[in-house]
Structure formats: structure tokens, C-alpha cells
Amino acid sequence: MSQTIDIPLHDIMPLLDVSEPSIYWFSVLVSLGLIFFASSVILFLKWNRDQKINERQKHYEALKKIDFKNPKQSAYTITKEGYFFSHDTEQTFNAYQNLFARLEPYKYAPTVQKIDEETVTYYYGYLEMVKV
């Protein structure tokens, strides 16, 4: 059996409480980082939404300002710009498909006639369906 001898030590100081503010600085830095990250995400989402709106307006303006003087070019432009809105709803998809079928004879022939009034009426109906 071993016995421990309790020897008093006079040259060792007891442990002292040291105030360490690094945990507070770390908390402040993490909080500021989270605030910066959250505000960056919010600003990016707002910018992205504005870009989509501007993109829709751009396509709508291009679709709206079609002149029917050059029927071949008009048919291609209506097909291209109209496709952007075709997947908004099932109604716009069906209207686009109908308009696409009506514009087909004006796209692939070397010389084409003026676009008929019924097709122009379908075009204006499609413009009415598009929501910008």
C-alpha cells in the first residue's frame, strides 16, 4: 500500500481567471458574416427576378412590333419570340402550336404570299394571352 505524502508547495500560484474576449469577437464576426450572406442572397434573388421580368418584356416587345411587310421574316420572328411564352400555361401552349402550324407555309418556301388575315388574327389573339 502506497501512501501519498501531502507536501505543501509554496512557489506555485493558484489558477487565475483570465478574461478572454475572443469568443465574443468570434460571435460578432459570425453574426456579421451571416447578415452579409443573407443580404447577398436577397439582393441576388431580387436581381434575378428583375432580369426575368426584363427578359419577358424584351421578348414581348419584339413579338409586338412585328410588321407583316416581309411575311417570311415575320413568320420566323413570331415563331422564335412566341416560343418564349409558349410554356406559360396550357392555353398559351395550344395557341402557340396552332399559330406555329399556320405560319409553317410562310417559312420554308422561297417565295411566299402575304400572311392571311386569319393567321394575323391568331397572332393578335396569342399576343392577348401573353402575360408580361
Side-chain angles (χ1 to χ4, degrees):
M1 189 186 271
S2 72
Q3 288 188 349
T4 59
I5 301 173
D6 194 14
I7 303 174
L9 300 174
H10 298 289
D11 58 342
I12 298 178
M13 299 288 293
L15 293 177
L16 297 176
D17 287 336
V18 177
S19 64
E20 179 62 38
S22 65
I23 188 72
Y24 302 114
W25 286 110
F26 178 74
S27 300
V28 168
L29 287 176
V30 166
S31 300
L32 289 175
L34 287 174
I35 290 170
F36 176 74
F37 179 73
S39 62
S40 298
V41 167
I42 289 170
L43 287 176
F44 175 75
L45 292 176
K46 184 178 180 342
W47 175 79
N48 194 18
R49 183 189 58 163
D50 291 344
Q51 287 295 99
K52 285 182 182 178
I53 290 172
N54 290 340
E55 190 75 17
R56 288 183 68 83
Q57 288 174 344
K58 184 179 92 173
H59 284 284
Y60 183 73
E61 289 299 321
L63 189 62
K64 194 168 84 170
K65 70 178 183 179
I66 299 229
D67 62 346
F68 292 99
K69 293 177 185 171
N70 184 354
K72 188 173 195 134
Q73 184 63 35
S74 298
Y76 279 114
T77 305
I78 292 169
T79 303
K80 178 185 169 202
E81 300 298 336
Y83 181 76
F84 184 81
F85 301 104
S86 65
H87 297 290
D88 287 349
T89 63
E90 187 175 338
Q91 184 182 13
T92 55
F93 180 74
N94 292 335
Y96 176 76
Q97 291 298 325
N98 192 357
L99 185 61
F100 182 80
R102 291 187 176 279
L103 290 171
E104 190 116 0
Y106 302 102
K107 292 194 284 190
Y108 303 116
T111 58
V112 293
Q113 299 174 359
K114 183 180 174 189
I115 296 178
D116 64 336
E117 289 300 317
E118 189 176 350
T119 304
V120 173
T121 306
Y122 275 96
Y123 161 72
Y124 285 118
Y126 184 70
L127 275 179
E128 292 294 322
M129 285 183 200
V130 170
K131 304 285 188 255
V132 179

